[in-house]
Amino acid sequence: MSMIKGANTPVPAPRVRVELARRSGPAVPDTDFSALLLDTRTGKVRSDRDFVFYNQPAHDSGAVRHEGRRSGPGDTTDTDTDTIAVDLDRVEPGIGRIVLAASAGGGPFGRVPGLSVRVLDAGTGAEIARYDTTDATVETALVLGELYRRQGAWKFRAVGQGYSSGLEGLATDFGITVDTPPVPAPPPAPAPAPASAPPSARSAPVSAPAAVPASPPAAAPVRLTKVTLTKEAPTVSLTKQGGTSGALRVNLSWQIRKQFRGWGAKLGRAIALHGDLDLDLCALYELSDGSKGVVQALGNAFGSLHRPPFIHLDGDDRTGGGTGENLTVNLDHRQHFRRIVVFVTVYEGARSFADLDATVTLTPQHGAPIEFTLGECTVPSTVCALALITNTGSELVVKREAEFLVPRRGVSPQRTIDQAYGWGMNWTPGRK
């Protein structure tokens, strides 16, 4: 149902998917989707944890989840969608509204064509509501709509309210504490030399100051920054970002392209993809002592965080939604790393990566998250190199690879990655 600004409509489904859509193309600003869960009494967030966006993709209650972006097929009029999933039955009683907002980077929304928000029944896929924004000009953040409670039921309202201060201004307006870069303070004036005290004063005992009770640590402010790697700008230095310690979390999430869920010759392939698709996130590593190996679910080689290889695979996800697959690198041991290739294989459920949209996010404990999409696969590939992490001696550098490889007949995906990156390991068959 198409809506005008200010209109509202009931939301009968207990679980919905809200999609932000826009047409992509040259010089079109990048956009991101976010949700704010607002207290019924105050109209603001209860804490920074009530903000769901690319750097904080899931609410603690599990009711709201940022599922990431899906790109179109590849021409200049593609439609990109960014999705937030909402389980309305799990929204806490104190939350009265869920604000659905978009932010633009590199330009205002007046330069973003085809901007719309749709509310879909997560069970059936049926469209419940749609609002197309046509009057945006200089705004860099927009409240597109909101889900809100009314007499025990949920409704959706088309809002269309804009901000020229970007995501930071919008978030701050709803009570979020934003981490802004500190302004360097001027150097302090040199202190005067202390006067010499008389001998009696120097020898007098000094009373220790009374102990002051320690205050509880303040919650860390929300970081809105991120780095998006592209084919044209594929690298970023973790060192320059300040992200060379703590845990580096690598996440892979994926979705099936909607256009392949129809009838005809592609139906069987779509059903296979939707039913039992299993992608495996893996990593080849080479340490400074020359030792090499692999971290993967195959053969239960899940690795370890606190002893070599200082890389750990969290588990084996077969859905791609939710948390996807996650691999953690312990950067406190960065001196032991020479290079790491993060890659993904199709274990079962599909013949290639065609028809899939995948997003890779590297989130260092310190510094800005790094995100990129793989783009469309046009070859019969069952293994894709995602990212190369290299220790140059002075820097840790992340490079977007997004390289779909086609194994030769009888050659495993792992051996294909090995040969492409010159690892030189001996491989034997493995199983889960």
Side-chain angles (χ1 to χ4, degrees), residues 121-137:
D121 185 324
T124 66
E127 183 178 284
I128 298 171
R130 177 190 179 104
Y131 170 53
D132 293 270
T133 301
T134 58
D135 56 354
T137 55

Side-chain angles (χ1 to χ4, degrees), residues 29-271:
D30 191 24
T31 58
D32 289 294
F33 204 18
S34 57
L36 299 105
L37 289 76
L38 305 186
D39 186 275
T40 303
R41 296 174 294 105
T42 66
K44 294 184 181 293
V45 297
R46 301 165 301 176
S47 75
D48 293 345
R49 296 300 302 170
D50 286 340
F51 186 25
V52 176
F53 70 122
Y54 49 79
N55 281 359
Q56 196 165 268
H59 191 257
D60 293 341
S61 66
V64 182
R65 186 177 68 251
H66 182 264
E67 292 193 335
R69 189 179 306 171
R70 184 178 65 248
S71 301
D75 58 42
T76 57
T77 59
D78 288 345
T79 297
D80 292 346
T81 57
D82 206 349
T83 304
I84 288 177
V86 184
D87 187 337
L88 296 170
D89 287 343
R90 297 178 67 178
V91 177
E92 296 158 303
I95 298 298
R97 285 193 294 154
I98 302 172
V99 168
L100 303 159
S103 56
F109 275 107
R111 290 168 43 196
V112 179
L115 188 68
S116 67
V117 62
R118 295 200 307 157
V119 182
L120 308 174
D121 185 324
T124 66
E127 183 178 284
I128 298 171
R130 177 190 179 104
Y131 170 53
D132 293 270
T133 301
T134 58
D135 56 354
T137 55
V138 299
E139 300 90 344
T140 50
L142 287 173
V143 175
L144 295 168
E146 61 182 16
L147 296 162
Y148 65 99
R149 297 185 197 264
R150 181 60 52 88
Q151 298 178 345
W154 284 95
K155 303 184 80 173
F156 172 78
R157 178 185 291 117
V159 178
Q161 176 185 349
Y163 291 75
S164 60
S165 50
L167 184 58
E168 180 177 346
L170 183 149
T172 303
D173 197 35
F174 286 106
I176 298 294
T177 305
V178 175
D179 183 11
T180 55
V183 178
S196 299
S200 58
R202 288 201 302 266
S203 59
V206 179
S207 300
V212 179
S215 301
V222 171
R223 289 181 298 170
L224 300 182
T225 54
K226 70 171 181 177
V227 176
T228 301
L229 300 183
T230 63
K231 184 177 181 180
E232 294 73 24
T235 63
V236 63
S237 169
L238 285 174
T239 303
K240 293 178 181 177
Q241 295 282 327
T244 56
S245 62
L248 171 67
R249 191 173 183 84
V250 184
N251 172 265
L252 173 72
S253 60
W254 63 88
Q255 294 178 330
I256 303 164
R257 291 182 187 272
K258 285 187 175 180
Q259 61 265 35
F260 294 111
R261 291 181 181 170
W263 302 98
K266 294 173 181 174
L267 178 61
R269 179 170 54 178
I271 291 173

